[in-house]
Amino acid sequence: MTPGEQLAAFLRNVAQTSDSPLGLVVERASGCTIHAAGGREYLDLLAGIGVCALGHGNARVLEAIRVQAEKHLHVMVYGELVQEAQAALARKLASVLPATLDNVYFTNSGTEAVEGALKLARKATGRTWLVSCSGGFHGDTMGSVSVGGNPVYRTPFEPLVGDVAQIDFNDFDGLAVIDERHAAVIVEPVQAEAGVILPKPGWLAALRARCSEHGVLLIFDEVLTGFGRTGSLFAFEREGVVPDVLVLAKALGGGLPLGAFIASRSVMRTLSHDPPLAHVTTFGGHPLSCAAGLASLEVMLEEKLADRAARLGEWFTDRLRQRLRSPAVREIRHAGLLIGIEFDAASRAAAFTQACRSEGLLLGWTLHDDRVVRLAPPLVIHEAELDDASLRMERALSRTAAG
Ligand code: PLP
């Protein structure tokens, strides 16, 4: 197909998620660059919204996929046959997590992992009420939408899953709402779609204490913040607060679709009886995805990419603060290499994003605060690439702020 034919089919035959898709025709991607039709190259500062932590085309991940493909693809619905790729990744995850997070349920995606975690919490506690946080984002299936923190994305789909209470992220007083009625609290330890909002010091610890006091399971959604993104392997390590259930996806699969919710064996056991097979999936934990995920995690650990994200995040945001000095830029926030640039108006953020694209940079908005431009580059990105990106962003801003 020619690029023109691809674009026409994309617009006509592929379901659209907005009236203004980026619509770049991708030819290939390597390292931190996306090569589009017409010879255009884009420095990828989004990494597929946090998926491609190792950039594009990592040799170890590609080799692991090839070896697994030659061994076997899908053989049986999840949970029946022993598949080395699943067992090895689960064991590796358990080895890098606290002892209470040693039992992994693999899914296909982040939102499915959230659904599994919510079902697990209700069944394990015998309670129905769930607590979510203002600004939170957990995916787009019904349960995940129900615990979403922005009414704009909930209202069109009501009635949703019932018995959900909401507290304000970072509100210490609001924690008093949590009590024996509640099965679980679900929260992102750093809120990404809300506009890269960091927890106030001590808030997650206070939330943990309140949950423990009332027998409520604490679910951390680390779909986006997992695997080094915020400067530690998992964002919960930043605060030293361990959840009862950890939800992962995005970078977990090394570029292939994979999610997981992880808990202790005793909590997870609740899903395997009364009745058995009450929570199953055909493709969850696909062997190709698990093989890619294991190779990706090994590279992350060997190359200490979490430390790299912490170091580069500090350095790069300093640079951005120097180069993006303008009354239009309200604040630049970051946790590792998850960066939010807050503008004074949504229109300015959109114009900046557009101008950056003309400069050959791919970056984007956040779903719940369209004044905030988000960056989540591959964790392997070079300093020189980031330095060059900051210069291009400076040029883009001068055009935007003048406009
Ligand atoms: N949770 C968080 C924090 C996310 O950022 C996302 C997706 O962006 C999800 C859940 C849903 O993941 P998926 O798109 O794989 O269903």
Side-chain angles (χ1 to χ4, degrees), residues 39 52 102 121 135 140 161-162 223 229 242 300 306 365 385 392 398:
C52 314
D102 63 347
D140 277 332
V161 172
V223 166
R229 171 65 45 202
V242 178
M300 281 177 200
W365 63 99
E385 289 174 307
R392 294 199 234 173
S398 64

Side-chain angles (χ1 to χ4, degrees), residues 49 109-112 114 137-140 188 192-193 221-224 249-250:
I49 320 288
S109 65
T111 198
E112 280 175 70
V114 168
F137 179 72
H138 302 290
D140 277 332
E188 297 156 87
E193 300 299 345
D221 178 344
E222 293 230 30
V223 166
L224 188 85
K250 290 200 184 276

Side-chain angles (χ1 to χ4, degrees), residues 54-330:
L54 305 187
H56 303 280
N58 178 275
R60 290 260 298 270
V61 173
L62 294 183
E63 177 62 8
I65 293 172
R66 190 190 63 74
V67 169
Q68 180 60 45
E70 285 174 5
K71 214 160 137 190
H72 66 86
L73 294 178
H74 180 82
V75 283
M76 183 57 163
V77 294
Y78 186 68
E80 296 296 329
L81 303 186
V82 181
Q83 300 179 45
E84 185 183 5
Q86 283 176 356
L89 180 57
R91 187 174 66 179
K92 187 75 184 172
L93 286 167
S95 77
V96 296
L97 285 167
T100 48
L101 296 172
D102 63 347
N103 210 246
V104 183
Y105 194 115
F106 287 116
T107 65
N108 300 282
S109 65
T111 198
E112 280 175 70
V114 168
E115 298 285 344
L118 298 178
K119 281 178 74 177
L120 176 68
R122 279 192 168 173
K123 189 148 185 294
T125 61
R127 306 173 183 177
T128 60
W129 279 84
L130 302 163
V131 180
S132 64
C133 286
S134 58
F137 179 72
H138 302 290
D140 277 332
T141 50
M142 281 295 187
S144 301
V145 170
S146 307
V147 292
N150 184 345
V152 169
Y153 293 94
R154 288 199 311 265
T155 313
F157 304 103
E158 288 172 347
L160 293 165
V161 172
D163 292 3
V164 177
Q166 200 172 90
I167 57 173
D168 283 335
F169 189 76
N170 271 338
D171 177 15
F172 282 87
D173 293 340
L175 299 179
V177 164
I178 301 162
D179 62 23
E180 276 74 18
R181 284 168 304 162
H182 299 117
V185 177
I186 182 163
V187 62
E188 297 156 87
V190 174
Q191 287 193 317
E193 300 299 345
V196 185
I197 308 293
L198 277 67
K200 283 185 185 158
W203 188 74
L204 290 175
L207 172 62
R208 169 73 277 178
R210 182 82 193 177
C211 286
S212 300
E213 199 184 326
H214 295 279
V216 179
L217 294 181
L218 180 57
I219 304 172
F220 277 175
D221 178 344
E222 293 230 30
V223 166
L224 188 85
T225 54
F227 299 103
R229 171 65 45 202
T230 66
S232 50
L233 194 55
F234 300 101
F236 70 74
E237 296 167 26
R238 294 164 54 91
E239 302 279 324
V241 174
V242 178
D244 300 297
V245 185
L246 178 67
V247 179
L248 300 172
K250 290 200 184 276
L252 171 65
L256 290 185
L258 187 63
F261 56 104
I262 305 178
S264 67
R265 284 185 65 205
S266 56
V267 169
M268 199 68 92
R269 226 186 76 73
T270 195
L271 287 184
S272 61
H273 62 89
D274 301 326
L277 304 179
H279 190 74
V280 289
T281 160
T282 298
F283 286 123
H286 193 282
L288 271 193
S289 304
C290 287
L294 180 61
S296 169
L297 180 53
E298 283 170 352
V299 173
M300 281 177 200
L301 295 171
E302 281 166 29
E303 298 189 1
K304 299 189 170 34
L305 291 184
D307 294 346
R308 189 162 197 280
R311 213 175 49 247
L312 278 187
E314 277 307 315
W315 172 82
F316 185 47
T317 41
D318 264 6
R319 192 134 295 206
L320 290 179
R321 286 183 186 124
Q322 284 160 23
R323 295 207 162 134
L324 304 183
R325 275 178 211 265
S326 156
V329 177
R330 286 270 169 83

